[in-house]
Amino acid sequence: MAKIIPFRAVRPTRSKVGLVATRSYESYSQYERDSRMSYNPYSFLHIINPGFKYDKQITGKERYTLVRNRYLEFKEDEIFVQDEKPSFYVYKIEDRKGQVFNGIIAASSAKDYENNIIRKHEDTLEHKEELFKTYLKTVGFNAEPVLLTYPDNPVIADIIKEAQKEFAIFEFTMTYRDTHYLWKIDDEEHIATIQKEFEKINTIYIADGHHRSASSYLLSKDENASEHDSYNYFMSYLIPESDLRIHEFNRLIKDLNGLSKEAFLIKLDSLFRIENRGTTPYKPSKPHHFSMYLDGEFYSLYLRKTIYKFENVLEELDAQLLYKTILQPILGIEDLRNDKRIAYMDNSNEMYTIKTAVDSGEYEVGFGMVPATIEQLKAIADNDLKMPPKSTYIEPKLRSGLTIYEF
């Protein structure tokens, strides 16, 4: 059974929240970060990039200490305030494409992660886990929730709807034209009901935030936390499975591994039925079908299922299938995480991003696929298997600095 608890969030004042909130640090270019910090003294980027103040690149433990200092300054200047009562927080996002996401920000149990109640579908890197654990221990807070998903629950849905009838604590629109809303649930009866409903749920799944979850778990072990110690929990945003959006990442390859175009197509023919689709962008519509852009033309690749057999649920995932049939045996790409010959693009512009990248000469061939399903994600996690890197592009994308969980 899943355990979540309310917490006393530290959050921006209503007047500053739109200025404080940021996307994830890695999603900005250096130019974007510098521009935002130059003109917005309230941006959360000032906290996580403290070296900007000194016009210096600062790394390691020194940076972590300065992050802590900037955070305390935001609290001292009352840019951040802390709620008096432990609460759950209803968080709603309406993005520019008209998608709506509703969920609850809460503190989830590191023990649930250890006991596989919170399940993962991606591998994590040990050095990154340790690095982020040290970061968390030094700064003393979570500023971006881990995205978790749970089976749709009508009782929880009704409480969320009830909370949204009240005046929102936050309501603001970002430059990406997505609008964010936050409501507080501090009524003890509603809190108890939400907790009881989650206790009925045997399994919840990490949608995004595998390294943050793993690092929070390591931190709880390091601190020898008691059952009620804040180190035993990490901030999460829990949304029902029906609200989760899973998109694909397209693959771009720099060369054909020494093969001519003709030789490459002949090798593909052994496992795929190939059709030339000409210059019109083609996007596949079924599992085990791929699109390919090569030498100015689009192709459809249909797997010959009478030849290729699936051994487990991971092998049925298209990202894994593409790797096992083309990327590894034909194009010679062994390490999907570190090989410099492969790049990944989300599907925001569908096949046009592939065409542009290949036409530029930077890449030789590009592949598109249909997205994974929530059922595949869960089945892979349930079987303790791991997806290849960049198998899923998950929405919603959350903002940093809206609610903060302190240790």
Side-chain angles (χ1 to χ4, degrees):
M1 57 184 193
K3 181 176 183 179
I4 64 170
I5 62 170
F7 67 101
R8 295 173 59 222
V10 175
R11 51 187 177 80
T13 60
R14 186 179 179 89
S15 63
K16 300 290 194 304
V17 61
L19 297 169
V20 171
T22 68
R23 305 196 311 270
S24 65
Y25 185 80
E26 294 79 11
S27 69
Y28 295 99
S29 67
Q30 183 66 51
Y31 173 77
E32 286 179 310
R33 285 195 293 264
D34 290 348
S35 296
R36 288 172 183 271
M37 286 188 284
S38 294
Y39 295 104
N40 179 6
Y42 303 109
S43 173
F44 194 76
L45 292 171
H46 284 286
I47 293 177
I48 54 180
N49 187 19
F52 181 81
K53 180 178 180 179
Y54 304 104
D55 194 25
K56 180 183 177 183
Q57 185 73 24
I58 301 173
T59 59
K61 190 68 178 289
E62 184 182 20
R63 173 178 168 256
Y64 305 162
T65 301
L66 290 177
V67 168
R68 175 71 179 171
N69 292 345
R70 294 293 86 75
Y71 172 68
L72 293 176
E73 288 170 7
F74 269 52
K75 291 184 73 175
E76 290 163 3
D77 293 340
E78 297 185 344
I79 299 167
F80 284 144
V81 295
Q82 186 168 25
D83 286 326
E84 293 183 3
K85 292 178 61 177
S87 305
F88 289 133
Y89 300 87
V90 171
Y91 180 31
K92 176 182 176 181
I93 305 171
E94 294 179 356
D95 72 13
R96 63 188 182 278
K97 295 177 285 188
Q99 298 178 132
V100 178
F101 307 96
N102 288 289
I104 293 174
I105 295 176
S108 289
S109 169
K111 289 285 186 185
D112 284 355
Y113 180 90
E114 179 181 31
N115 296 330
N116 209 30
I117 294 171
I118 296 175
R119 294 188 180 174
K120 46 196 175 292
H121 65 271
E122 288 183 6
D123 267 331
T124 52
L125 301 175
E126 186 176 348
H127 77 275
K128 283 191 174 183
E129 292 178 7
E130 291 290 339
L131 197 69
F132 196 60
K133 179 194 72 175
T134 303
Y135 171 83
L136 291 174
K137 186 173 183 177
T138 306
V139 303
F141 62 79
N142 289 151
E144 182 182 337
V146 172
L147 181 60
L148 303 177
T149 188
Y150 62 90
D152 287 43
N153 181 295
V155 175
I156 298 172
D158 285 344
I159 293 176
I160 289 174
K161 289 177 184 176
E162 187 69 24
Q164 290 174 341
K165 293 178 182 178
E166 303 297 325
F167 188 66
I169 300 171
F170 297 154
E171 181 181 344
F172 65 97
T173 300
M174 302 288 287
T175 53
Y176 263 43
R177 291 181 294 166
D178 48 355
T179 303
H180 301 258
Y181 306 83
L182 192 77
W183 294 266
K184 183 164 57 175
I185 297 178
D186 57 10
D187 174 77
E188 292 184 5
E189 184 178 341
H190 280 157
I191 287 174
T193 300
I194 290 170
Q195 288 180 303
K196 287 177 182 176
E197 290 302 313
F198 272 97
E199 286 172 2
K200 298 175 185 177
I201 298 173
N202 293 324
T203 310
I204 56 180
Y205 297 85
I206 301 173
D208 197 12
H210 284 77
H211 279 95
R212 279 172 282 144
S213 305
S215 300
S216 295
Y217 164 62
L218 290 179
L219 182 62
S220 73
K221 286 180 65 178
D222 263 17
E223 293 304 308
N224 246 341
S226 66
E227 184 178 351
H228 302 293
D229 196 299
S230 58
Y231 283 111
N232 257 340
Y233 298 88
F234 57 92
M235 186 167 65
S236 60
Y237 178 48
L238 299 116
I239 67 170
E241 291 174 4
S242 61
D243 271 17
L244 195 70
R245 298 291 178 268
I246 304 177
H247 305 283
E248 72 277 12
F249 273 99
N250 298 320
R251 271 69 170 141
L252 289 160
I253 314 298
K254 286 186 176 292
D255 59 68
L256 297 182
N257 198 27
L259 297 170
S260 66
K261 171 186 171 181
E262 291 73 20
F264 176 58
L265 289 172
I266 289 171
K267 283 185 174 293
L268 290 181
D269 192 76
S270 63
L271 279 175
F272 294 93
R273 183 160 56 87
I274 306 170
E275 291 185 23
N276 188 317
R277 301 281 180 160
T279 58
T280 302
Y282 169 76
K283 184 175 174 63
S285 58
K286 295 180 180 180
H288 314 326
H289 294 183
F290 300 95
S291 60
M292 180 176 73
Y293 185 68
L294 173 67
D295 193 26
E297 295 179 305
F298 287 92
Y299 296 81
S300 59
L301 307 179
Y302 300 125
L303 180 69
R304 300 182 189 275
K305 295 182 181 179
T306 56
I307 297 175
Y308 191 86
K309 303 299 181 184
F310 301 113
E311 299 295 331
N312 56 46
V313 292
L314 176 60
E315 291 193 0
E316 295 193 33
L317 184 74
D318 279 354
Q320 179 74 359
L321 177 63
L322 184 69
Y323 172 66
K324 296 296 287 186
T325 57
I326 300 175
L327 301 185
Q328 183 188 46
I330 299 176
L331 295 178
I333 294 174
E334 297 288 342
D335 187 348
L336 291 171
R337 196 178 298 277
N338 298 309
D339 196 313
K340 302 300 183 185
R341 296 170 55 225
I342 186 170
Y344 303 91
M345 285 188 177
D346 66 62
N347 75 334
S348 54
N349 292 305
E350 296 190 332
M351 300 308 297
Y352 290 101
T353 54
I354 287 183
K355 182 180 188 305
T356 301
V358 173
D359 287 348
S360 74
E362 185 177 1
Y363 298 95
E364 188 78 16
V365 63
F367 298 94
M369 66 193 84
V370 299
T373 65
I374 183 63
E375 288 76 21
Q376 285 180 305
L377 184 152
K378 291 166 62 177
I380 287 170
D382 291 344
N383 285 275
D384 199 26
L385 299 169
K386 302 296 181 289
M387 292 182 176
K390 301 293 186 182
S391 291
T392 57
Y393 180 82
I394 302 285
E395 290 182 314
K397 294 299 180 189
L398 307 180
R399 296 298 182 261
S400 295
L402 287 182
T403 57
I404 295 172
Y405 174 75
E406 289 189 337
F407 307 123

